[in-house]
Amino acid sequence: MGGLSTDPLIPVSLWLTLSTAAAVTMFFYARRRPSVMSVNRWRLSNLLMSFGLLAVLLLLLNPTWLSPIPPPPGKPLLTVLIDTSASMSTPDSEGGQTRLISAGRIAREMAGELGPSFDVQVKSFDDSLRKISLAALDGGANGSSTDVAGAVSSSLSGEHAAGEAIVLLSDGIHNAGGGSAHVLDAVRAARAMDSPIYTQTFGGEVKTVDLAVQIRSPQDLALVGQHLPLTVQVAYTGLTGGRANVALLLEGKEVARRTADLTASGTANVHFMLTHDKVGVYPYEARVDALPGEASASNNSAAYVLRVVDEPIRVLMLEGKPYWDSKFFTRTLTSDPAIALDSVVKLTDARLMRRILTHDKSSNKKESPSTQPAVRNESWQIDSIAGGYLADPDRLRGYQIIVLGRDVEPFLSEQAVKNLHEWVAQDGGSLVCYRGSPTAPANQLLAKLLPVRWTPAAGRETRFRLALTDRGQNLDWLGNAAESAGSGAALTGMPSLASSTVVDSSRPLAVVLAKSTGSDGTQSPAVTYQPYGAGRVTVIEGSGMWRWAFLSPAYQKQEDVYAALWHSLMRWLTSNASLQPGQRYSLRADKIRFGANEPASATLLAREVTGSAQLPAIELVAEGSATGTRTFTPSPAGDEVGVFRVNFGPLPDGRYRAKVAGTEDGNTSAQVVFDVRRYDQEQLDLQARPDLMARIAADSGGAVLSGDSAAQIEKLFKEHQLRSRPPQYVKTSAWDRWWILDAVLGIWLTSWFVRRSGGLV
């Protein structure tokens, strides 16, 4: 709505002074009429002079006419998002209706009542977003997961000049990954695009009874005859006591059974001891007996694959000086019977101490570690030439992992670094820098291999603690050492580390598994790896590792975490996706368990093969099924030489075994076992989240709906538009209009003419 306003050209105080002076002057001037002028002419002259002064004073106030600018054409967009995931089928809404029926009724009311004011579109979402007709809502809720963040992000268009808003009808359960932080990131994007979200929550508190089996490390590696402990964790909800029977199955046949006591802690552990006398891949399954009334039985079992080999993981460790850190690191590695360690420490320029540690495989077959430790074979020798360890490519192929400590410049000749490049890229070796930068001055050729770059720290060394990222927690490296506190909390509770360098940046393909947090709160990559050809390069920050001998007893008790971290890292580097020396093919599944709605896939590494035409096919068999063997052709994975992808596509529930066609059954590197299971998280987590829905509404500039939702939306959106898009006007100033200035000048000229004609000069 238009109107008239003022925008004074001079201060108001000065204007008032001038107005008062003009009024007083005119008052005294008009009191004495000259005798030559008649009364009427004198009155007319004073009136014109008063109008002239008043016009000038009004012009100094700068009167401005406001003409409203019409709003953008069209109606604002209103997107109604209806949650159709399986949790919305819970019948806990008003009148015993399901959450989806209640949400559908409100969506229909909105579409009918708000059509004249909004451009209404209705969409449904679970793990994806799609348009839907209101009639199709009667089809029920059966989505396998709920992605609230994805639904909000995909609904933001920013293309409607008249504005847009979102109505979210859901129980607020987001289980598609990323947690609440992922949802709030999408909400902040909505606020930035001026798209308020109006939420209405359906459902309430639902108590479920459920048992779930978890194995922290779903695949492991052991030597022939080695006794390997397996810990199975039973998590439960809705129970305060009782017992659960846990069975261990090998290839579908029960081989052991344990009883778990269900206390108030929410978790219980049972332990099995595994040993095999033959090389092979052994698929296990831990299964807990279902309880009456249990919400879902899909999580009552967990897969575990044990790869048994007759050769240990061969590790070469190089240190430029004797350090306490390397002593404890060596002790940790040699405690694992599956690792053969070759440790070389430079004492002086011409003196190197080499220590070779292996385990007697025959003793492993006879005795259990619980009764007698495995017998170690240990030998020592003195060398004088540091450059010889990495200078021979054939010697390098005898190792699967090379660990670089600090100050290892004497080992890294130009030829040695070139050999490392070829060993990692072509032979599938794994390089580990386990205490930050391995050299004091930057080695440019070695830097091309590493996933991070360093800069010297300002001043003295700094202290920091580690915290796993989401990618790091998914690897479950800490195993059973983190049972009580969780993997992230267990690592955060470790002693602080020292560093004299700062990670300047990480490379584009680098994956950060853990971050360091300094005393000032700054974070930087602490455990980082990147694929390099067929192998991997891993960097772990910390110039001083955890020195257990100098720590308080409280920290020394956490040595299990330190050991679990390194034992898991060694297996991950060799058994996840590496091509071991002497092997032609290595097949690894991307995961040990796939969901029924996601494509199963594997990675094939091949030596001296550049195209898929030279590769054998991959055979896939579903165990216990009569479908027979299916054949798949590997395809190149980008530009990486010798790396191929095998896409099996979505598969039915079951256990599958894949192998490289033409290889022997005893070749463990050319075969893999994985499970396909249907995740029923939507049936397990039924607790509505009104708190998250309220946060979504508040952070986006929207509101929580109740009662007559349609009427509320129209009112709330208008109020939002007034706040975010106040009315705009075109200003027309009187000072800029020529005819007004001419009128003022005409008044003064008329006054002068009247005075002149009356006899006044």
Side-chain angles (χ1 to χ4, degrees), residues 164-479:
E164 58 182 280
I166 296 174
V167 176
L168 181 61
L169 306 178
S170 172
D171 52 19
I173 302 172
H174 171 80
N175 51 31
S180 299
H182 192 197
V183 176
L184 296 179
D185 286 342
V187 170
R188 282 188 284 270
R191 188 181 187 94
M193 296 178 66
D194 194 28
S195 299
I197 303 176
Y198 303 102
T199 64
Q200 189 156 354
T201 308
F202 300 89
E205 183 177 355
V206 179
K207 294 183 179 180
T208 58
V209 176
D210 184 66
L211 291 174
V213 172
Q214 301 172 1
I215 299 177
R216 292 190 178 277
S217 180
Q219 54 184 336
D220 212 337
L221 182 143
L223 289 174
V224 170
Q226 178 186 346
H227 289 75
L228 184 72
L230 171 64
T231 299
V232 177
Q233 184 180 83
V234 180
Y236 46 92
T237 57
L239 299 171
T240 57
R243 290 188 171 186
N245 295 319
V246 182
L248 183 66
L249 294 83
L250 175 60
E251 296 184 341
K253 298 180 180 179
E254 184 174 326
V255 294
R257 179 174 286 267
R258 300 285 187 274
T259 299
D261 293 324
L262 308 180
T263 61
S265 64
T267 59
N269 295 325
V270 294
H271 307 278
F272 300 92
M273 190 66 69
L274 310 180
T275 182
H276 290 277
D277 295 331
K278 293 182 180 180
V279 171
V281 178
Y282 297 91
Y284 284 91
E285 181 182 9
R287 183 182 299 169
V288 62
D289 295 344
L291 296 176
E294 191 172 349
S296 174
S298 65
N299 58 351
N300 284 30
S301 63
Y304 174 79
V305 175
L306 178 63
R307 190 177 300 274
V308 178
V309 298
D310 57 359
E311 291 294 335
I313 302 171
R314 296 174 295 279
V315 181
L316 171 64
M317 187 187 76
L318 303 177
E319 275 283 7
K321 294 178 183 178
Y323 290 102
W324 279 106
D325 308 74
S326 58
K327 174 182 177 180
F328 294 113
F329 176 67
T330 302
R331 186 182 70 182
T332 299
L333 292 189
T334 55
S335 66
D336 190 342
I339 293 177
L341 178 65
D342 195 347
S343 171
V344 181
V345 180
K346 177 177 172 291
L347 303 178
T348 65
D349 291 340
R351 186 179 178 86
L352 295 93
M353 179 68 70
R354 182 182 181 188
R355 183 184 181 193
I356 304 173
L357 291 159
T358 59
H359 291 82
D360 189 345
K361 292 186 291 184
S362 61
S363 65
N364 290 340
K365 294 180 181 180
K366 298 176 181 179
E367 299 291 344
S368 167
S370 62
T371 58
Q372 179 179 339
V375 177
R376 294 190 307 181
N377 294 326
E378 183 175 355
S379 61
W380 301 77
Q381 67 182 54
I382 301 296
D383 287 343
S384 58
I385 302 176
Y389 285 92
L390 303 178
D392 184 1
D394 293 333
R395 186 174 187 176
L396 275 180
R397 293 190 184 100
Y399 301 103
Q400 296 163 260
I401 300 173
I402 294 179
V403 181
L404 300 181
R406 295 176 63 189
D407 306 315
V408 294
E409 291 91 338
F411 299 95
L412 299 176
S413 64
E414 184 175 347
Q415 183 60 44
V417 177
K418 290 182 179 179
N419 292 340
L420 274 178
H421 276 258
E422 295 180 1
W423 175 76
V424 174
Q426 299 179 13
D427 296 326
S430 296
L431 178 65
V432 180
C433 300
Y434 84 108
R435 288 197 291 138
S437 177
T439 59
N443 186 315
Q444 299 301 323
L445 188 58
L446 180 65
K448 295 180 180 179
L449 264 176
L450 304 180
V452 297
R453 290 185 289 267
W454 293 273
T455 56
R460 58 189 181 89
E461 69 176 15
T462 58
R463 308 292 300 184
F464 63 88
R465 297 184 184 275
L466 292 182
L468 291 175
T469 63
D470 290 341
R471 291 289 298 273
Q473 292 189 27
N474 289 338
L475 293 177
D476 288 326
W477 275 358
L478 301 184

Side-chain angles (χ1 to χ4, degrees), residues 26 43-59 743-745 747-748 751:
M26 283 301 302
R43 290 176 179 174
L44 179 60
S45 173
N46 289 334
L47 182 62
L48 290 173
M49 290 179 62
S50 299
F51 276 124
L53 285 174
L54 180 61
V56 172
L57 291 173
L58 289 177
L59 284 178
V744 174
L745 181 60
I747 292 174
W748 282 104
S751 174

Side-chain angles (χ1 to χ4, degrees), residues 707-724:
D708 190 352
S709 304
Q712 278 186 288
I713 290 175
E714 189 166 6
K715 176 185 176 183
L716 292 170
F717 187 73
K718 286 182 180 179
E719 294 174 353
H720 173 81
Q721 290 282 68
L722 288 175
R723 292 192 302 268
S724 62

Side-chain angles (χ1 to χ4, degrees), residues 129-154:
L129 180 69
R130 54 198 169 272
K131 288 187 177 180
I132 190 173
S133 64
L134 292 173
L137 290 176
D138 297 332
N142 50 20
S144 59
S145 62
T146 309
D147 188 0
V148 177
V152 171
S153 299
S154 301

